[in-house]
Amino acid sequence: MSERRTDRAPRRKRRLRRLHRAQLATERGWGRVVDWINARELDENTILLAFALVIGVLGALGVILFYRAIDLAYAAFTTWPGTFLRRGDLLLYRPVFTAAGLALAWVIGERFSRGREGPSVPTVQLSVARRNGDVPAGPALGRTLASAVTLGSGGSAGSEGPVAVLGATVGSVLGRLFRSDASRVKILVAAGTAAGISAAFNAPLTGAFFALEEILGSLGVGAFPPVVVSSVAAAMVSRAAFGNHPAFPVPVEYGYHLGREVFTLFPLLGAVAGLVAVLYVRAYFGVPELAERFRIPRSARPWIGGAIVGVMVWLSGGVLVGHGHLAFGIDLFGRLAWTTLALLALGKIVATAITLGMGGTGGVFTPSLYIGAVTGGSFGVLMSQLFPSLGLSPEAYALVGMGVVVAVATDAPITAILIVFEMTNDYAIMLPLMLAVVIGTIVGRRFERDSLYSGWLRRRGEHLEHGADHDVLARLRVTDAYDPNPQVIGESASVDQLLEQLGQGEQTEFPVVDPDLTFVGLITLADLGRIAKNSLDLAPLLLAADLAIPSQTVEPDDSLLDAIRKMGVRGTGSLPVTEPGTGRLRGLVTRAHILAIYQRALAGDSVAQERSNTADT
């Protein structure tokens, strides 16, 4: 036996050496390809658009494969058992199959993520904001497989999270393969996210704006073209595979007949749906906290949660989760009793929170659509019964409710409005939809500050909003960003001297100081314009001190987050920087200064980033 082991050791070493040489040869060959492409000195936009096209096609193909995996899991956990179990037995064993599916999904997630939480939309946001767009491929593939098992076995979750992560991974891997800089990789990650959402919902506008709104947190001109190209390419591939129809089939006839509905019933629906979204957010975060409080072992949670969800799905006749990757049409939510629809909304909230909080994997966006649809449908049916003479259409309220819950739960109002529009292709529904989304968002934020994404990050010590890293602004100081030599005006300056400031530079607000350089107030460019118009009357009467407007100030050690908040309160683009205690003017900090240093800090190539990291430690 020892001789055999002695013989095997050299062979194993030789195999490892051959594999290592092959890997080095592959890396050298790929390096030559990248060097050849870089030597072409192609235009940046051309490169980004070419990458975006490839990412869009690959992202859509990933969605197709993911849906096939869901259907395969559905066949294994639901269809196949029906071939040898009687109907009564099948209903009895449905909770067991769902529990087994969630347990398998949990094992897959643990295996691929090595005990850490797998990638999701919030982690993609974090990768863009903090990690230069690095989305690891292994955990993303594991999450996709775990999500397919979760959904196919009857768990209540969404398919958009896995496909968004899968698309983001394609963009990240492609960017790193071609040795792109951090800014380009981030755009490619957003393009991949757009491709996944677009292909999943057959909604290219929604995919593009979801990526810009949630992942990048910006509608910047540089990111817009590649994100849109990727989203459109993914939609075209998806339509070739699934057909050109909405992800949620909409009714043939719906709408509102009375103009006063827009200003009465739909705003009321916005408030109601906003509160339902708050309940959804709190339940989503509440279930894991309950599991921790009762000290339920992690390995037992999928079995317990899956059994509970399986019972709920059985009691609903399957209406809570659909069949495989297929969803129920919204027209169904206009024909059921309002109490039944209200129970479905509550049941979907509980089932989704348990599925995702007890070991299952999936997205939260699609359940938001479902919850909003049944909430709006319930409201519409109730109103039609209370006011039968109005001829209300409950389906229209289901569509608007869908948009409101998505907007509040994910803090993505533009995305919510666009997905309803792309589903209906109806401009008329936009009026009540936009008004209801605004009211629902105000009501929702009044009672719950977190969305499903920001709350997930905040509970892990991160503070991002729409992909923007607010912690960077909180760590950076005014002294990193302000202009120490702005144009200033003495308090005794005459009108003629004031008018000399016109056209002297790009500065739009001018600090007024006394002879000791103590800050007195601000004079804006608009003030100078009014003085120019009436200079003959005002010249002998006014000095700069008379026109200076009192203003909030910041000190050099104040954070840039405090500075930007004070600018928001004043509605101004700049603030004077003064010495603490003395009030002497040190300079002027503007939004442009803050934006410039913020972007450099995120790119990781400036002194500001070093200061940010030092402050962290």
Side-chain angles (χ1 to χ4, degrees):
M1 182 66 69
S2 61
E3 292 179 359
R4 291 181 182 175
R5 290 178 179 173
T6 304
D7 293 339
R8 288 175 181 172
R11 288 200 299 269
R12 186 180 299 112
K13 290 181 180 179
R14 286 195 296 271
R15 284 198 298 269
L16 290 175
R17 282 196 296 268
R18 285 196 295 269
L19 287 173
H20 182 63
R21 285 196 295 268
Q23 182 180 359
L24 289 177
T26 302
E27 290 177 354
R28 284 195 294 268
W30 180 251
R32 294 191 189 98
V33 172
V34 174
D35 291 339
W36 182 86
I37 294 175
N38 291 335
R40 304 303 98 189
E41 297 183 355
L42 298 174
D43 178 74
E44 176 73 8
N45 288 330
T46 302
I47 295 174
L48 282 175
L49 292 180
F51 280 170
L53 185 61
V54 174
I55 290 170
V57 173
L58 293 178
L61 293 176
V63 171
I64 294 170
L65 292 175
F66 176 58
Y67 281 175
R68 295 292 182 259
I70 295 174
D71 293 338
L72 182 61
Y74 182 79
F77 284 95
T78 304
T79 306
W80 179 66
T83 61
F84 62 86
L85 289 175
R86 293 177 300 179
R87 179 174 177 79
D89 294 337
L90 181 62
L91 294 176
L92 181 63
Y93 281 98
R94 177 68 181 264
V96 177
F97 295 144
T98 302
L102 261 64
L104 178 58
W106 179 78
V107 170
I108 294 172
E110 290 288 304
R111 173 68 180 83
F112 277 87
S113 60
R114 297 180 177 88
R116 296 172 295 179
E117 292 175 296
S120 58
V121 171
T123 61
V124 172
Q125 291 177 323
L126 193 62
S127 296
V128 168
R130 299 275 183 86
R131 299 166 188 161
N132 296 329
D134 184 9
V135 183
L141 293 175
R143 175 180 171 81
T144 303
L145 181 58
S147 299
V149 174
T150 298
L151 294 167
S153 62
S156 177
S159 61
E160 86 297 328
V163 298
V165 171
L166 196 60
T169 304
V170 172
S172 178
V173 170
L174 189 63
R176 286 183 280 119
L177 274 177
F178 283 89
R179 303 172 187 171
S180 301
D181 59 31
S183 60
R184 183 189 292 177
V185 173
K186 292 177 183 180
I187 294 175
L188 297 181
V189 168
T193 304
I197 297 294
S198 174
F201 292 105
N202 187 24
L205 271 176
T206 301
F209 277 89
F210 180 87
L212 295 169
E213 187 177 23
E214 287 294 332
I215 304 302
L216 291 179
S218 168
L219 301 180
V221 175
F224 192 80
V227 168
V228 169
V229 167
S230 179
S231 187
V232 171
M236 297 302 295
V237 175
S238 175
R239 289 174 183 179
F242 302 123
N244 186 13
H245 54 76
F248 284 79
V250 298
V252 177
E253 294 184 5
Y254 68 91
Y256 57 95
H257 309 290
L258 303 172
R260 59 178 177 268
E261 288 182 65
V262 177
F263 297 103
T264 54
L265 297 182
F266 283 110
L268 180 59
L269 170 60
V272 171
L275 293 175
V276 170
V278 169
L279 179 61
Y280 177 34
V281 172
R282 292 185 177 178
Y284 175 75
F285 294 117
V287 167
E289 293 171 359
L290 283 176
E292 291 291 338
R293 184 181 304 174
F294 287 103
R295 299 181 180 178
I296 301 174
R298 291 181 60 84
S299 59
R301 294 178 190 178
W303 291 98
I304 297 172
I308 295 173
V309 172
V311 170
M312 295 179 67
V313 173
W314 169 48
L315 292 175
S316 73
V319 177
L320 276 178
V321 295
H323 303 289
H325 77 274
L326 301 176
F328 285 95
I330 295 174
D331 54 349
L332 173 69
F333 302 143
R335 298 197 301 265
L336 300 177
W338 76 269
T339 51
T340 301
L341 292 168
L343 287 174
L344 283 176
L346 180 61
K348 188 66 174 180
I349 290 173
V350 174
T352 303
I354 292 175
T355 297
L356 299 178
M358 298 289 278
T361 302
V364 294
F365 189 95
T366 307
S368 301
L369 292 169
Y370 184 106
I371 294 165
V374 291
T375 298
S378 175
F379 181 89
V381 171
L382 177 61
M383 291 299 104
S384 65
Q385 291 177 358
L386 293 177
F387 308 104
S389 61
L390 296 181
L392 303 179
S393 174
E395 291 84 359
Y397 289 86
L399 289 166
V400 171
M402 177 185 292
V404 175
V405 172
V406 169
V408 178
T410 65
D411 200 16
I414 297 176
T415 299
I417 291 170
L418 287 176
I419 194 169
V420 174
F421 171 70
E422 288 195 279
M423 288 170 54
T424 61
N425 197 27
D426 180 12
Y427 282 103
I429 199 68
M430 295 292 283
L431 298 178
L433 175 63
M434 290 190 294
L435 185 59
V437 163
V438 169
I439 292 175
T441 301
I442 294 172
V443 171
R445 290 295 159 262
R446 172 66 178 80
F447 291 96
E448 176 59 60
R449 62 171 176 165
D450 284 330
S451 70
L452 294 168
Y453 300 146
S454 66
W456 190 95
L457 290 165
R458 187 177 64 80
R459 284 164 173 80
R460 287 152 182 83
E462 306 291 349
H463 186 200
L464 305 183
E465 290 182 11
H466 297 292
D469 188 351
H470 285 228
D471 286 345
V472 170
L473 287 179
R475 291 192 295 265
L476 292 172
R477 296 289 172 255
V478 170
T479 190
D480 298 314
Y482 78 96
D483 177 9
N485 297 302
Q487 290 178 265
V488 297
I489 298 173
E491 63 177 355
S492 60
S494 66
V495 170
D496 290 338
Q497 291 172 321
L498 290 177
L499 295 180
E500 290 177 2
Q501 303 295 330
L502 289 173
Q504 294 298 313
E506 297 181 356
Q507 192 171 322
T508 59
E509 295 182 304
F510 303 90
V512 178
V513 296
D514 66 12
D516 296 326
L517 295 181
T518 301
F519 174 70
V520 176
L522 284 179
I523 294 179
T524 68
L525 200 61
D527 295 331
L528 294 180
R530 285 192 293 271
I531 293 171
K533 183 177 180 181
N534 304 289
S535 58
L536 293 177
D537 298 330
L538 297 177
L541 302 176
L542 298 178
L543 300 176
D546 302 317
L547 297 170
I549 302 172
S551 168
Q552 285 186 307
T553 63
V554 290
E555 297 177 353
D557 286 335
D558 288 344
S559 73
L560 291 185
L561 184 59
D562 289 335
I564 206 73
R565 284 172 175 168
K566 288 183 178 180
M567 289 180 188
V569 171
R570 281 196 64 237
T572 184
S574 60
L575 285 175
V577 182
T578 59
E579 291 181 353
T582 66
R584 286 170 58 88
L585 185 73
R586 290 278 298 272
L588 194 70
V589 62
T590 68
R591 287 182 185 272
H593 295 144
I594 295 175
L595 179 60
I597 196 169
Y598 174 72
Q599 290 176 336
R600 291 199 302 271
L602 290 186
D605 59 357
S606 67
V607 174
Q609 179 66 42
E610 294 175 8
R611 180 185 178 96
S612 174
N613 293 336
T614 303
D616 242 358
T617 58

